[in-house]
């Protein structure tokens, strides 16, 4: 970009309103904008309810909704992978859709909208500084990127970052390339917001500092003060909470920085995800070709395209990026020929000084330097680190790599156009054909992922903890609720796992029929005989749970609501068999034993076995937001009975039956008896009043802890183990 063109752009920005209106009209007449809009809406909003909705997504949206439904104002968000509580900014953003509806689909729509805006910002940014053709290429590469699409729908903090990233670089380029003021204040505010969304964005301090050096004449120091005040205002609730808790989360971050330093190339591997034209599945976001037998890339003639797709993702795109980055680097360090001739007559010191003067007078080269720092330096800083890396840390690099590629392609095409010959025409056609094939490969990979997701052509349990989504859970719960209303069923029981626990608990709060949910990994809950007929939603993969349902209830399978990528739910209409009288000599309150011995349960293939004890609930406690009623069984000694199971329920109903499930290895000796204590407690959200507000965090606090006792005052009970 020449200085003359820069002056022209500067004069355009200072043009009168009529000229700006004509410029806007010219942009609106650009046909590609409408193609990009159509593709962006298709690839970001289509199948929106099939995106992941599990633990993090559910708790983030729930906390935003609870601010309106229960008056609980969040001062933190959920916990990060390092263990610290996240800033509450994401909650304040999702309060927008949560204020209108409890349906998390509104939150997913907001995330998709953010990412559509990011696509257009990337187009406008590239068109402003590098031309229309480059802008079209960037937008098309971005909109068809599988990595970008994979992190553009679910309710995660970092998925909101892309438009803020583009606005951040708009600010840097305003100061560095166009040499205009009033850029530092918004850049600092954006950096503060980005850091609150995800800590990985702290690396953006590096290009910001470089921009401050390159554009120091445009800096107004009061901008720093104003930005600090704005950021402080946004994080004041979080600071207040940290002050109340002795800055525990700050200490967690400091301790993380003191961990053992490791050096590896994982950052390069994850950066290559940005070039991939495919992910294995929605449940396993790794840059491997789908291998599930029914995937359209495996079970249809499209499997012939596996090798070309792999070649494009593993060879062509990385090589094209490297060439583009090297080309940009050469542009940054290479002086124009006139300057080279002048420098040749000087000594080394004079040549360096002359180069610096020329570089300082070349804003376009400085802009490329910022892009290279963003895409090369920042990822390489993670070669040496003390924290684990995850693919979603690399969202902050989108769409920088596409911008560099587009700059190289457009400059190469322009260069080849200067030489009118058959060879240059062939080269120009070949380069554009290569880009077209890349776009075709990315679109094909995107289409495969959409089809596989929509039709459940993947394994939802390919990686722990699994894959759950609104399109599976909401219809199942709504069907159960409608069935209960029509048949006058008074209660619904729902078994959960770690993958769907938070999600189902939140969604069940929107039902008209009261529901009891429990963690099926540690226990099974069945109604008492006095409850009459109830509706029961069970996971067919839980063999022990299904065995207990068949053994202790009269169950009729009334529906099998489908789930993407896994077996459908089992929906039973069941009535409990008459239970025996409580066993004397066991605990006298809250919980009474219905069996004097522990039984051994086996899976049908005898590969796994569990110890199970049977209990009856003696009290009724209503369901409440983020409230759990816990019953913990403390075994002494642990012996071969591993862990101390805690049965966690969202409501207690007198007469309900609890069956503990304690896994035992088939290679360990079976204990002859179990001696244990039982503790009960209630887990509720941490709250703290502050004037008219009730502040809350992600954490729960345990209250009303009670160690159960027998009628004779003993705190432990011994039961023999019956193996048959």
């Amino acid at each position: 970009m020449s200085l003359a063109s820069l002056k022209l752009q500067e004069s355009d920005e200072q043009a009168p309103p009529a000229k700006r209106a004509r410029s806007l009209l010219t942009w609106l007449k650009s046909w590609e904008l409408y193609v990009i809009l159509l593709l962006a809406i298709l690839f970001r909003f289509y199948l929106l309810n099939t995106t992941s909705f599990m633990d993090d997504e559910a708790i983030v949206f729930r906390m935003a909704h609870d601010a309106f439904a229960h008056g609980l104002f969040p001062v933190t968000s959920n916990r990060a992978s390092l263990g610290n509580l996240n800033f509450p900014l994401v909650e304040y953003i999702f309060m927008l859709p949560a204020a209108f509806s409890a349906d998390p689909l509104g939150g997913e729509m907001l995330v998709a909208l953010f990412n559509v805006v990011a696509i257009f910002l990337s187009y406008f940014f590239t068109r402003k500084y590098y031309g229309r053709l480059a802008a079209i290429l960037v937008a098309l590469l971005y909109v068809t990127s599988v990595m970008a699409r994979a992190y553009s729908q679910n309710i995660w903090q970092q998925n909101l970052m892309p438009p803020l990233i583009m606005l951040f670089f708009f600010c840097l380029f305003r100061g560095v390339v166009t040499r205009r003021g009033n850029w530092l204040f918004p850049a600092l505010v954006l950096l503060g917001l980005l850091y609150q969304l995800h800590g990985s964005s702290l690396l953006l301090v590096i290009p910001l500092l470089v921009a401050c050096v390159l554009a120091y004449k445009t800096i107004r120091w009061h901008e720093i003060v104003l930005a600090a005040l704005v950021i402080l205002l946004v994080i004041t609730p979080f600071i207040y909470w940290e002050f109340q808790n002795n800055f525990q989360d700050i200490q967690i971050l400091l301790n993380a920085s003191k961990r053992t330093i490791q050096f590896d190339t994982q950052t390069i591997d994850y950066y290559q995800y940005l070039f991939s034209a495919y992910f294995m599945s929605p449940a396993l976001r790794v840059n491997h070709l789908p291998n599930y037998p029914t995937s359209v890339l495996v079970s249809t003639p499209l499997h012939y395209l596996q090798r070309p797709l792999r070649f494009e993702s593993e060879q062509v795109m990385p090589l094209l990026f490297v060439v583009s980055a090297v080309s940009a680097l050469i542009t940054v360090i290479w002086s124009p020929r006139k300057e080279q001739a002048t420098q040749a007559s000087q000594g080394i010191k004079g040549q360096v000084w002359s180069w610096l003067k020329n570089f300082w007078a070349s804003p376009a080269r400085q802009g490329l330097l910022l892009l290279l720092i963003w895409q090369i330096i920042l990822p390489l800083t993670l070669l040496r680190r003390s924290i684990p890396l995850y693919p979603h840390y690399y969202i902050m690099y989108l769409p920088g790599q596409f911008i560099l590629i587009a700059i190289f392609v457009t400059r190469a095409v322009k260069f080849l156009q200067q030489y009118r010959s058959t060879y240059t025409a062939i080269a120009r056609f070949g380069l554009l054909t290569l880009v077209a094939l890349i776009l075709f490969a990315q679109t094909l990979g995107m289409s495969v992922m959409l089809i596989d997701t929509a039709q459940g052509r993947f394994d939802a349990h390919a990686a722990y903890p699994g894959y759950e989504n609104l399109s599976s859970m909401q219809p199942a719960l709504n069907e159960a609720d409608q069935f209960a209303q029509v048949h006058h069923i008074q209660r619904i029981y729902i078994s959960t796992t770690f993958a769907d626990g938070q999600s189902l608990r939140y969604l069940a709060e929107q039902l008209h029929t009261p529901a009891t949910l429990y963690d099926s990994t540690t226990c099974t809950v069945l109604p008492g005989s006095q409850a009459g007929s109830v509706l029961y939603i069970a996971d067919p993969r839980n063999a022990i749970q299904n065995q207990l349902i068949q053994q202790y209830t009269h169950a009729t399978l009334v529906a099998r609501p489908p789930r993407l990528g896994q077996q459908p739910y089992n929906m039973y209409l069941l009535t409990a068999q008459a239970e025996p009288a409580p066993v004397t000599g066991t605990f006298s309150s809250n919980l009474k034993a219905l069996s004097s011995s522990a039984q051994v349960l086996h899976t049908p293939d005898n590969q796994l076995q569990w110890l199970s004890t049977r209990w009856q609930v003696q009290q009724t406690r209503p369901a409440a937001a983020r409230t759990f009623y816990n019953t913990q069984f403390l075994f002494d000694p642990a012996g071969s009975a591993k862990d101390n199971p805690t049965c966690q329920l969202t409501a207690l109903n007198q007469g309900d039956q609890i069956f503990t499930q304690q896994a035992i290895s088939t290679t360990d000796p079976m204990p002859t008896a179990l001696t244990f204590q039982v503790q009960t407690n209630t887990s509720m959200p941490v709250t703290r009043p502050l004037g008219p507000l009730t502040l809350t965090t992600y954490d729960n606090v345990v209250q009303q802890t009670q160690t159960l006792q027998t009628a004779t005052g003993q705190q432990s009970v011994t039961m023999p183990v019956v193996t048959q």
Side-chain angles (χ1 to χ4, degrees), residues 403-539:
I403 294 175
L404 287 175
I405 289 173
I407 292 171
F408 168 74
V409 170
T410 53
R411 288 185 172 179
V413 169
K414 185 177 180 180
F415 173 80
L416 293 172
Q417 283 178 335
Q418 297 176 0
Y419 302 94
R420 298 184 178 277
S421 70
T422 304
Y423 298 109
T424 56
I426 293 174
R428 187 170 68 251
F429 177 78
L431 184 58
L432 293 176
T433 301
L434 176 63
V435 174
L437 289 175
I438 289 173
L439 290 172
F440 171 77
Q442 291 193 170
T443 304
L444 176 63
M446 179 84 73
S447 302
V448 167
M449 187 171 70
L450 291 176
I451 295 172
D452 284 351
T453 301
Q455 300 181 1
R457 296 170 177 257
F458 63 94
D459 181 7
H461 300 282
Y464 180 83
Y467 174 80
E468 301 292 344
N469 55 88
L470 289 178
S471 70
S472 297
M473 292 182 286
Q474 279 185 323
L477 293 178
N478 291 336
E479 182 178 354
D481 196 27
Q482 292 172 10
F483 186 96
Q485 296 290 309
V486 170
H487 294 84
H488 306 290
I489 304 298
Q490 300 301 310
R491 181 163 292 277
I492 300 173
Y493 288 77
I494 305 172
S495 69
T496 70
T497 63
F498 176 77
D500 61 14
Q502 288 282 10
S503 310
L504 287 173
R505 286 191 288 268
Y506 173 71
L507 295 173
E509 290 182 11
Q510 321 308 323
L511 302 180
H512 298 91
T513 308
T516 297
L517 294 87
Y518 67 94
D519 183 357
S520 64
T521 59
T522 57
C523 67
T524 293
V525 177
L526 297 176
S529 58
Q530 80 283 1
S533 296
V534 303
L535 208 57
Y536 202 103
I537 300 178
D539 185 348

Side-chain angles (χ1 to χ4, degrees), residues 198-256:
H198 200 271
S200 62
S201 59
L202 188 61
L203 289 173
L204 293 173
V205 168
I206 298 175
L208 176 63
L209 292 177
V210 173
C212 288
V213 173
L214 297 175
Y216 73 95
K217 290 184 178 181
T218 65
I219 293 176
R220 303 294 181 265
W221 297 108
H222 69 271
E223 294 184 84
I224 299 176
V225 177
L226 289 176
L229 291 176
V230 171
I231 295 171
L232 184 63
L233 178 64
V234 176
I235 65 173
T236 294
F238 184 79
I239 293 176
Y240 169 79
W241 190 263
E242 288 298 304
F243 180 78
Q244 295 292 317
N245 290 274
N246 300 316
F247 297 93
Q248 292 180 359
D249 296 296
I250 305 299
Q251 190 61 47
I252 291 174
L253 292 175
L254 292 175
N255 291 337

Side-chain angles (χ1 to χ4, degrees), residues 27 110 149 175 225 231 243 247 257 290 380 544 608 695:
W27 282 54
L110 182 64
R149 200 269 180 186
V225 177
I231 295 171
F243 180 78
F247 297 93
S257 65
L380 291 181
I544 297 302
L608 299 173
L695 307 182

